[in-house]
Amino acid sequence: MVKSIPYSAVKTEGFWKKRADINRESTIPTIYKRFSETGRFGALSCKLEEGMPRPHIFWDSDAAKWIEACAYSLRQNPDSELEKQVDGLIDRIAAAQLEDGYYNCYYIPCELQNRFTNRDNHELYCAGHLTEAAVAYYETTGKDKLLNVMKKYLELIIKVFVTDDSASFSTPGHEEIELALIKLYELTGEEKYKDLCAHFINTRGTSEKDKGTRDWTGPDYDQSHKPVRELREAVGHSVRALYLYSGMADLARHTGDKELIKACKALFDNINLKRMYVTGGVGSTAHGEAFTEDYDLPNDIAYSETCASIALTYFCRRMLLLEPDSKYADAAERAFYNCVLGGVSLDGRAFFYVNPLEINIRKHELRKKYYNRRENLLTQRIEVFDCSCCPPNLARVIASFGGELYTKDENTVFAHHFCKSTAEFDGIKIKQDTRYPAYGDVRFTVSGLKGGTFAVRIPGWCSFATLNGEALPKETVKGYIYLDVTEDEQIFDFYFDMKPRFVAANPAVDSDLGKVCIARGPVIYCMESSLNGGVKPGRISVDTNAVFGCEDDEETGAIKLTVKAFEDAESDKLYYDYTAEKKEREIVLLPYFAYANHGESDMAVWLRMA
Amino acid sequence: MVKSIPYSAVKTEGFWKKRADINRESTIPTIYKRFSETGRFGALSCKLEEGMPRPHIFWDSDAAKWIEACAYSLRQNPDSELEKQVDGLIDRIAAAQLEDGYYNCYYIPCELQNRFTNRDNHELYCAGHLTEAAVAYYETTGKDKLLNVMKKYLELIIKVFVTDDSASFSTPGHEEIELALIKLYELTGEEKYKDLCAHFINTRGTSEKDKGTRDWTGPDYDQSHKPVRELREAVGHSVRALYLYSGMADLARHTGDKELIKACKALFDNINLKRMYVTGGVGSTAHGEAFTEDYDLPNDIAYSETCASIALTYFCRRMLLLEPDSKYADAAERAFYNCVLGGVSLDGRAFFYVNPLEINIRKHELRKKYYNRRENLLTQRIEVFDCSCCPPNLARVIASFGGELYTKDENTVFAHHFCKSTAEFDGIKIKQDTRYPAYGDVRFTVSGLKGGTFAVRIPGWCSFATLNGEALPKETVKGYIYLDVTEDEQIFDFYFDMKPRFVAANPAVDSDLGKVCIARGPVIYCMESSLNGGVKPGRISVDTNAVFGCEDDEETGAIKLTVKAFEDAESDKLYYDYTAEKKEREIVLLPYFAYANHGESDMAVWLRMA
């Protein structure tokens, strides 16, 4: 069976090290401060004292993700002060756990009598995140206090949901615990956790108890509209969906369940071929934070939640364990370098929950003022949201990126992602020297794999690559080139050509008709008016034969592009016979992940073709 | 003073005769039937009997516009049966009029005690339409029953609103009566009607009593936000606005009020240069059926109410009387041949209230289903609306189009519009031989104007014209060429080149960026998927150097166009490196005014440029 090489085995440098440093120095403390101020951490004691805000049903999960992020960060950068902060939170949780194992910072003080009665109220989702945090913190520190809290709580959950079937519902309204249970199973080897995961997954979409009563959406909102093995299209709340699909892939890996694997593959293909933004964002609509239908990918009202894109990377990572196919790593890479990183400011202090691919401030204000439309557009990242799932989710992803790079199957090591780093596992050492994503040269120095195979992903975006100075043949096996390792220490020098590209969307995507976006390597670019003398991107058209200027950009760690384009000529008339008259002008493009870091601005990923 | 040449002096043939015939044979009877069925005509008796629907506050106006349309139609085609129907309605109205002159089919039976207390409830608007109907019916038939009813009612209105100032408000919440009062003044010469018009116009935006209490919009909704002489931008409910501006122009013509004329000109220019669709539609948003801001002209959610475009032609016609400038006739022509005619089906039986410039059925359904958007899209004309102002408004416009052609000033006759017709007035006879709008040749045969001047509008859309076979110089006086008439009967042979044109919009119109529309003469074209093998217009791009195929089209009375264009190539990928690969295909374009006559269909006026 293919196994993950965990983040703990990989020391990252370069681009991702810089992001991890910002994460550790700015993001994690910023979230700590904000969660403390908003009462999220105080609430963990489950006492509703005078002056404290009423906890929200998902506050446990916010704290849990922050703890998990700390666990990953502490592994590479021990920090006793931070560890003390985490221990303090865990002490609160442990002290508040009820005798029978129950723990939930909302239900205990607010309406304990109603626990396990409202499927929409995130209890199992919170338990899942706390389980993930417990596993991660135990793995880093060896401390098992939170782990034991969760084991005890899970005994209760097994009793209530399996043994007694006494809850008012059968499966989580917000999936997440499924993948957490597999993590705990993999840590402990205890079958009961895998069994509980299987119970939730197999029961989903089949239970009378779960027939919803929501009036504003159907059972597809939380993927309860049919048994999971029959799912073929990604529907409903996108984070819920992708956490479920991740859990399904996890379970299938341990059971070999062919029907489950078939569903997972179909769901991935549906997203990858029809329901994903070019930035790796998913979930087009704010209404239900949900997937809609094939090719419906509006840019200006895109929801594209940060957490959904993160969840997509989780699903991809798990699919890679089922089947080494570069389409999974390609999709994950698309999400990482675009939508996911775009969710946090370059200084690590502020966040986007929603990641549109177009910002037209005036249009948006006109729609609000005159057209009775209520969608909210944030044009600046903010430090905390009422629903603050994204910031700590980003923190845990960035702190553990090293875990994305490799998987291993018997004698084959798969390199999925490119990142300056050193990995050591199973007597094998792999060093990556690369300036990725700024440049496409990647030198692997592989030791300890003599007689084995080293499989390297050729990125889907790359149309020309060399290995040790020679052009690579086009033929790969599902996107990987398999290399025999014949030396004790062997160097593989890859070069992935990163000439900037004009990318088109399938013409079924109405929103992108007549437009291209600009990509370089895995990075998708955008044009902001703030960096272009105030010119609105809509007035610009690009010549698809144009040559780009490339410049190192320290701020983003990627390349800044310039290109000659055209600006539509002004006129004092409203309508006039068309003439091809246009002003030539150079435009500056920055990576999408760096948008909204240079003042409030109009922005567009997709630009018209001249 | 420049004077109108009324519809009664002009006998139309050709294109407009065909429309008038359909109007008489289909539209007027269809509306009669529908208004009878829905209770609108029964309600005129002001008795709320068992089983009758409760009348709406604007039903009087619906009936009045139908009567007015009949009056115009009867002038050219006497029809004793139709006249009897009208007389029957007038008898009902006269019988129900109260002793003190009051008449309103809603207030009398429903809440008489509240008359003149609710500014929003259309009483004066209804009185205005009934006055217009009374004038028109008297002019055609010499019958003065309705005229006397309205004179008596207006005495009451003068008492209540001027003499006693006893109403709860000072000016109409829905303007219309202003222009009606000028019509009555022009018929009777009685100053009191002009004075009442002046009272309403001068008081507007100044009265404490009119300070609104609506929570969903401000006083600009009904143009009460400032004194009318200070208005410079067209705002609020677009039909209300344009009826007001028409009344202002009417009044200014009789008073020479410079401040009022200045306001009218500024308002026209604001609309004409910044707030009008290429189809002559106005009022971008459904929310308040209103103007929004400069250059905000969305295509798919365009409101562009038929009545607003009709009201624009009223305003233009009155501005032409103030100042012969072709911009007014150009705008009116744009509205007539596109948005106005587009409001009724080719068979005259069904109507659009809202006239979008783009229909994308799937996009619309996705927005409703997944994005919580409630705008309604009609893709088929229907026979009656709850708010059925547009159908009878169309009927009266089409029945009286001949009145648009000429104005006269001392010894100068102005020809504003082109239409096969014969006009006789003041001893002058003008015959137009033309196939307009299908072809640009117009032969005027002018008799009885020897020694005078014949001024002909050179259409703004025309870049090449000849007179009697010689190219016309570019110089015109405000768009008119002034010709000395030296013969008893003189022929002026004009040719306005109608080569199809690609028209661009000002780049400040976001919705039209990168797009062109196709025009030929005054007619704007659209592409419908129903006539193009199901291909969605969004997938098509046009080569702006392409040559058009032109074909006579009996159904529309205009020209059908074909042109080579490109269809974006299908793909099985979602994103891919752009290649210029496109399928060439011929597309068929019909006049916008004929849209939605060939089955439910996607439609677009603006097409991408290849």
Side-chain angles (χ1 to χ4, degrees):
Chain A
M1 195 164 81
V2 180
K3 68 171 187 179
S4 289
I5 303 304
Y7 75 98
S8 53
V10 183
K11 200 171 158 54
T12 58
E13 298 169 74
F15 181 88
W16 283 95
K17 169 73 157 52
K18 185 175 168 191
R19 304 298 298 199
D21 287 346
I22 293 168
N23 191 48
R24 193 180 73 251
E25 290 162 12
S26 294
T27 307
I28 287 176
T30 296
I31 297 172
Y32 185 81
K33 185 161 168 281
R34 288 305 196 161
F35 280 8
S36 300
E37 288 166 359
T38 54
R40 278 169 168 81
F41 287 153
L44 295 175
S45 301
C46 300
K47 291 183 190 117
L48 201 56
E49 281 161 19
E50 186 75 22
M52 282 171 72
R54 189 176 165 87
H56 197 283
I57 51 165
F58 50 61
W59 276 10
D60 284 338
S61 71
D62 289 345
K65 276 184 280 192
W66 183 81
I67 293 171
E68 189 183 345
C70 292
Y72 299 144
S73 184
L74 286 167
R75 169 74 71 146
Q76 299 217 350
N77 292 82
D79 176 340
S80 61
E81 204 50 46
L82 181 61
E83 200 169 325
K84 212 159 33 175
Q85 288 176 340
V86 176
D87 287 337
L89 300 185
I90 291 172
D91 288 345
R92 283 187 208 171
I93 294 169
Q97 183 170 35
L98 299 188
E99 197 57 43
D100 67 359
Y102 188 79
Y103 179 81
N104 183 290
C105 85
Y106 165 76
Y107 272 100
I108 290 178
C110 296
E111 45 170 327
L112 185 58
Q113 73 284 8
N114 293 329
R115 70 184 192 177
F116 299 136
T117 61
N118 186 334
R119 187 164 179 258
D120 275 345
N121 273 2
H122 292 53
E123 277 164 301
L124 295 174
Y125 169 80
C126 287
H129 273 302
L130 284 165
T131 301
E132 282 201 275
V135 170
Y137 199 62
Y138 171 77
E139 285 181 334
T140 290
T141 63
K143 295 178 182 171
D144 62 3
K145 189 180 236 180
L146 185 57
L147 192 66
N148 289 330
V149 165
M150 293 317 298
K151 284 179 171 176
K152 187 173 173 189
Y153 186 11
L154 286 166
E155 292 306 320
L156 175 68
I157 289 173
I158 291 168
K159 181 176 186 314
V160 168
F161 283 87
V162 185
T163 319
D164 298 349
D165 190 14
S166 60
S168 306
F169 54 95
S170 301
T171 65
H174 193 316
E175 305 93 314
E176 206 285 332
I177 197 169
E178 297 84 349
L179 69 90
L181 287 165
I182 297 298
K183 280 192 177 177
L184 186 57
Y185 164 65
E186 290 176 349
L187 175 72
T188 63
E190 293 187 61
E191 295 281 334
K192 61 184 171 189
Y193 302 124
K194 186 181 72 178
D195 293 346
L196 180 58
C197 167
H199 172 79
F200 284 142
I201 285 178
N202 295 336
T203 308
R204 192 161 207 90
T206 67
S207 165
E208 277 304 312
K209 278 194 199 172
D210 291 351
K211 296 267 180 273
T213 54
R214 291 182 212 101
D215 55 357
W216 61 278
T217 186
D220 53 344
Y221 170 70
D222 56 16
Q223 300 77 43
S224 302
H225 53 304
K226 50 174 82 167
V228 297
R229 284 169 188 77
E230 294 172 22
L231 298 176
R232 294 295 180 269
E233 293 192 321
V235 296
H237 187 273
S238 54
V239 175
R240 283 169 162 83
L242 284 156
Y243 284 166
L244 169 66
Y245 307 157
S246 298
M248 286 162 61
D250 270 340
L251 182 64
R253 182 162 43 94
H254 287 289
T255 62
D257 181 329
K258 289 211 173 85
E259 287 305 304
L260 207 49
I261 292 172
K262 189 174 173 188
C264 287
K265 288 184 177 181
L267 289 164
F268 176 84
D269 286 343
N270 177 244
I271 295 169
N272 192 48
L273 294 174
K274 295 176 182 168
R275 302 193 177 189
M276 176 180 67
Y277 285 98
V278 73
T279 55
V282 286
S284 301
T285 181
H287 189 63
E289 307 184 310
F291 286 104
T292 61
E293 292 184 11
D294 291 349
Y295 304 116
D296 178 46
L297 297 162
N299 293 310
D300 56 344
I301 54 170
Y303 197 66
S304 178
E305 183 186 339
T306 309
C307 281
S309 202
I310 289 172
L312 174 63
T313 72
Y314 292 167
F315 182 37
C316 292
R317 178 181 183 169
R318 284 156 176 84
M319 291 307 292
L320 276 177
L321 292 171
L322 281 177
E323 174 188 38
D325 186 323
S326 65
K327 66 184 176 183
Y328 305 118
D330 283 341
E333 186 180 59
R334 186 185 287 284
F336 280 127
Y337 286 102
N338 301 290
C339 188
V340 173
L341 283 183
V344 55
S345 61
L346 292 173
D347 70 3
R349 293 180 193 283
F351 309 92
F352 275 139
Y353 190 107
V354 171
N355 299 281
L357 279 78
E358 179 186 317
I359 296 176
N360 182 333
I361 297 171
R362 177 166 191 254
K363 178 179 168 189
H364 197 82
E365 283 170 359
L366 287 166
R367 294 298 169 274
K368 270 202 296 191
K369 189 168 172 193
Y370 296 103
Y371 294 79
N372 217 4
R373 295 203 167 162
R374 270 163 293 163
E375 67 259 12
N376 288 313
L377 175 73
L378 285 182
T379 54
Q380 300 281 298
R381 291 182 178 77
I382 59 177
E383 287 201 9
V384 72
F385 303 87
D386 286 344
C387 177
S388 222
C389 48
C390 300
N393 219 354
L394 278 161
R396 65 179 182 149
V397 163
I398 292 169
S400 62
F401 182 75
E404 303 291 333
L405 305 192
Y406 304 107
T407 58
K408 182 167 176 286
D409 177 12
E410 305 278 325
N411 286 319
T412 303
V413 172
F414 292 90
H416 304 293
H417 293 284
F418 310 106
C419 166
K420 189 170 166 66
S421 58
T422 308
E424 292 189 75
F425 53 92
D426 302 352
I428 299 164
K429 184 172 170 184
I430 304 178
K431 197 162 168 249
Q432 280 195 43
D433 275 311
T434 179
R435 294 171 292 172
Y436 206 87
Y439 292 94
D441 48 316
V442 186
R443 167 175 290 193
F444 290 96
T445 308
V446 179
S447 326
L449 188 58
K450 187 172 174 178
T453 304
F454 187 48
V456 177
R457 168 180 150 254
I458 309 302
W461 53 259
C462 179
S463 56
F464 177 72
T466 65
L467 170 56
N468 300 330
E470 292 190 20
L472 274 185
K474 295 272 176 200
E475 291 76 39
T476 52
V477 179
K478 293 195 174 178
Y480 288 79
I481 182 162
Y482 287 74
L483 303 164
D484 292 334
V485 181
T486 54
E487 313 285 337
D488 287 335
E489 180 179 288
Q490 193 160 347
I491 288 174
F492 299 98
D493 250 331
F494 281 90
Y495 168 73
F496 303 117
D497 186 49
M498 281 198 181
K499 190 158 134 342
R501 315 180 313 278
F502 290 101
V503 173
N506 190 302
V509 182
D510 273 5
S511 328
D512 303 335
L513 282 165
K515 296 182 175 178
V516 285
C517 72
I518 287 134
R520 186 177 170 283
V523 177
I524 301 295
Y525 283 74
C526 68
M527 175 186 162
E528 289 190 291
S529 52
S530 58
L531 297 175
N532 285 282
V535 176
K536 298 178 86 165
R539 298 229 191 162
I540 291 294
S541 54
V542 292
D543 175 355
T544 50
N545 298 310
V547 175
F548 288 85
C550 297
E551 195 184 309
D552 285 338
D553 183 47
E554 188 160 359
E555 186 187 30
T556 61
I559 298 294
K560 181 194 281 189
L561 298 179
T562 53
V563 67
K564 285 246 186 319
F566 302 99
E567 183 182 348
D568 291 357
E570 297 284 331
S571 172
D572 55 2
K573 294 182 184 158
L574 182 52
Y575 303 108
Y576 42 90
D577 286 359
Y578 173 75
T579 60
E581 193 195 336
K582 285 168 186 167
K583 273 189 290 188
E584 196 174 296
R585 73 172 292 148
E586 190 173 78
I587 58 167
V588 176
L589 301 157
L590 272 196
Y592 173 78
F593 73 71
Y595 87 101
N597 276 283
H598 303 92
E600 194 175 39
S601 177
D602 279 16
M603 180 276 289
V605 168
W606 294 94
L607 299 174
R608 281 189 290 129
M609 285 182 277
Chain B
M1 194 163 80
V2 180
K3 69 171 188 180
S4 289
I5 303 305
Y7 74 98
S8 53
V10 183
K11 198 169 160 56
T12 58
E13 298 168 74
F15 182 88
W16 283 96
K17 169 72 157 50
K18 185 176 168 191
R19 303 299 298 199
D21 287 346
I22 294 168
N23 190 48
R24 194 181 70 251
E25 291 162 11
S26 295
T27 307
I28 288 177
T30 297
I31 297 173
Y32 185 81
K33 183 160 169 285
R34 288 305 195 162
F35 280 8
S36 301
E37 288 166 0
T38 55
R40 278 168 169 81
F41 287 154
L44 296 175
S45 302
C46 300
K47 292 184 190 115
L48 203 56
E49 282 159 18
E50 186 75 22
M52 282 171 72
R54 190 175 165 87
H56 197 283
I57 51 165
F58 49 61
W59 275 9
D60 284 337
S61 72
D62 289 346
K65 275 184 282 191
W66 184 80
I67 294 172
E68 190 184 344
C70 292
Y72 300 143
S73 184
L74 287 168
R75 170 73 71 147
Q76 300 216 346
N77 293 83
D79 176 340
S80 60
E81 205 49 47
L82 181 61
E83 200 170 323
K84 210 157 34 172
Q85 287 176 340
V86 176
D87 287 336
L89 300 185
I90 291 174
D91 288 344
R92 282 186 209 173
I93 294 170
Q97 182 171 34
L98 300 188
E99 196 56 43
D100 66 359
Y102 188 79
Y103 179 81
N104 183 290
C105 86
Y106 166 75
Y107 272 100
I108 291 179
C110 296
E111 46 171 326
L112 185 59
Q113 71 285 8
N114 293 329
R115 69 183 193 178
F116 299 137
T117 60
N118 186 334
R119 187 163 179 258
D120 275 344
N121 272 2
H122 293 52
E123 277 163 300
L124 295 173
Y125 169 80
C126 287
H129 273 302
L130 284 166
T131 301
E132 282 201 274
V135 169
Y137 199 61
Y138 171 77
E139 286 180 334
T140 290
T141 62
K143 294 179 184 171
D144 63 2
K145 189 179 235 183
L146 185 56
L147 192 66
N148 289 330
V149 165
M150 293 318 298
K151 283 179 171 176
K152 186 173 174 191
Y153 186 10
L154 285 166
E155 291 306 319
L156 176 68
I157 290 174
I158 291 169
K159 181 174 185 318
V160 168
F161 284 88
V162 185
T163 319
D164 298 350
D165 190 15
S166 60
S168 306
F169 53 94
S170 301
T171 65
H174 194 316
E175 305 93 314
E176 205 287 332
I177 196 170
E178 297 85 349
L179 69 90
L181 286 165
I182 297 298
K183 279 192 177 175
L184 186 58
Y185 164 65
E186 291 176 350
L187 175 71
T188 62
E190 291 188 62
E191 295 281 334
K192 62 185 172 188
Y193 302 123
K194 185 181 72 178
D195 292 346
L196 180 58
C197 168
H199 172 79
F200 284 142
I201 285 178
N202 295 336
T203 308
R204 193 161 205 88
T206 68
S207 164
E208 277 303 313
K209 278 195 198 172
D210 290 351
K211 296 266 178 276
T213 52
R214 292 182 209 99
D215 56 357
W216 61 279
T217 186
D220 53 343
Y221 169 70
D222 55 17
Q223 302 77 43
S224 302
H225 53 304
K226 51 174 82 166
V228 296
R229 286 169 187 76
E230 294 172 21
L231 297 176
R232 294 294 179 270
E233 293 192 323
V235 296
H237 187 274
S238 54
V239 176
R240 283 169 161 83
L242 284 157
Y243 284 166
L244 170 66
Y245 308 157
S246 298
M248 286 162 61
D250 270 340
L251 182 64
R253 181 161 46 92
H254 287 288
T255 61
D257 182 328
K258 291 212 174 82
E259 287 304 305
L260 207 50
I261 292 172
K262 190 174 170 186
C264 287
K265 287 184 177 182
L267 289 164
F268 176 83
D269 286 343
N270 177 245
I271 294 168
N272 193 46
L273 293 174
K274 295 175 182 169
R275 301 192 178 191
M276 177 180 67
Y277 285 97
V278 74
T279 55
V282 287
S284 302
T285 180
H287 188 62
E289 307 184 309
F291 286 105
T292 61
E293 292 184 10
D294 291 348
Y295 303 116
D296 178 46
L297 297 162
N299 293 312
D300 57 344
I301 54 170
Y303 197 66
S304 179
E305 183 186 339
T306 309
C307 281
S309 202
I310 289 172
L312 175 62
T313 72
Y314 292 167
F315 182 37
C316 292
R317 177 181 183 169
R318 284 156 176 85
M319 292 307 292
L320 276 177
L321 291 171
L322 281 177
E323 174 189 38
D325 186 323
S326 65
K327 66 184 176 184
Y328 305 118
D330 282 342
E333 186 179 59
R334 187 186 286 286
F336 280 127
Y337 286 102
N338 300 291
C339 189
V340 173
L341 283 184
V344 54
S345 61
L346 292 173
D347 70 5
R349 293 180 194 283
F351 309 92
F352 275 139
Y353 190 108
V354 170
N355 298 281
L357 280 77
E358 179 187 317
I359 296 176
N360 182 332
I361 297 171
R362 177 167 192 251
K363 178 178 168 190
H364 197 83
E365 281 169 1
L366 287 166
R367 295 296 169 277
K368 270 202 295 193
K369 187 166 174 196
Y370 297 103
Y371 294 79
N372 217 3
R373 295 204 166 161
R374 270 163 291 163
E375 66 259 13
N376 288 313
L377 174 73
L378 285 183
T379 54
Q380 299 281 300
R381 291 183 178 77
I382 59 176
E383 288 201 8
V384 72
F385 301 89
D386 286 343
C387 177
S388 220
C389 48
C390 300
N393 219 354
L394 278 161
R396 64 178 182 148
V397 163
I398 291 168
S400 62
F401 182 75
E404 302 291 334
L405 305 191
Y406 304 106
T407 58
K408 180 166 177 287
D409 178 11
E410 306 277 326
N411 287 319
T412 304
V413 172
F414 292 90
H416 304 294
H417 293 285
F418 310 107
C419 166
K420 188 170 167 66
S421 58
T422 308
E424 293 189 75
F425 52 92
D426 303 351
I428 298 163
K429 184 170 171 185
I430 304 178
K431 196 160 170 253
Q432 280 195 43
D433 275 311
T434 179
R435 293 171 293 172
Y436 207 86
Y439 292 95
D441 48 316
V442 186
R443 166 175 291 195
F444 289 96
T445 307
V446 179
S447 327
L449 189 58
K450 186 171 174 178
T453 304
F454 188 49
V456 178
R457 167 180 151 254
I458 309 302
W461 52 259
C462 178
S463 57
F464 176 72
T466 64
L467 170 57
N468 300 330
E470 292 191 18
L472 275 183
K474 294 270 176 201
E475 291 78 38
T476 51
V477 180
K478 293 194 176 181
Y480 288 79
I481 182 161
Y482 288 75
L483 304 164
D484 293 331
V485 181
T486 54
E487 312 284 338
D488 287 334
E489 180 177 289
Q490 193 161 349
I491 288 173
F492 299 98
D493 250 331
F494 280 90
Y495 167 73
F496 303 117
D497 186 48
M498 282 198 179
K499 190 158 134 343
R501 314 177 317 274
F502 290 102
V503 173
N506 190 301
V509 182
D510 273 5
S511 327
D512 302 335
L513 283 165
K515 296 183 174 178
V516 285
C517 72
I518 287 135
R520 185 177 172 282
V523 176
I524 301 295
Y525 282 75
C526 68
M527 176 186 162
E528 289 190 291
S529 53
S530 57
L531 297 175
N532 285 281
V535 175
K536 298 177 84 164
R539 298 230 190 161
I540 291 294
S541 53
V542 292
D543 175 355
T544 52
N545 298 310
V547 175
F548 289 85
C550 297
E551 194 183 311
D552 285 338
D553 184 46
E554 186 160 1
E555 185 187 31
T556 62
I559 298 294
K560 182 193 283 190
L561 297 179
T562 52
V563 66
K564 285 247 187 319
F566 302 98
E567 183 182 348
D568 291 357
E570 298 284 330
S571 173
D572 56 2
K573 294 183 184 159
L574 183 51
Y575 303 108
Y576 42 90
D577 286 0
Y578 173 74
T579 60
E581 194 194 335
K582 285 168 185 166
K583 273 189 292 187
E584 197 175 294
R585 73 171 293 147
E586 190 174 79
I587 58 166
V588 176
L589 301 158
L590 271 196
Y592 173 77
F593 74 71
Y595 86 101
N597 276 283
H598 302 92
E600 195 175 39
S601 177
D602 278 17
M603 181 276 290
V605 168
W606 295 94
L607 299 174
R608 280 189 291 129
M609 284 182 276

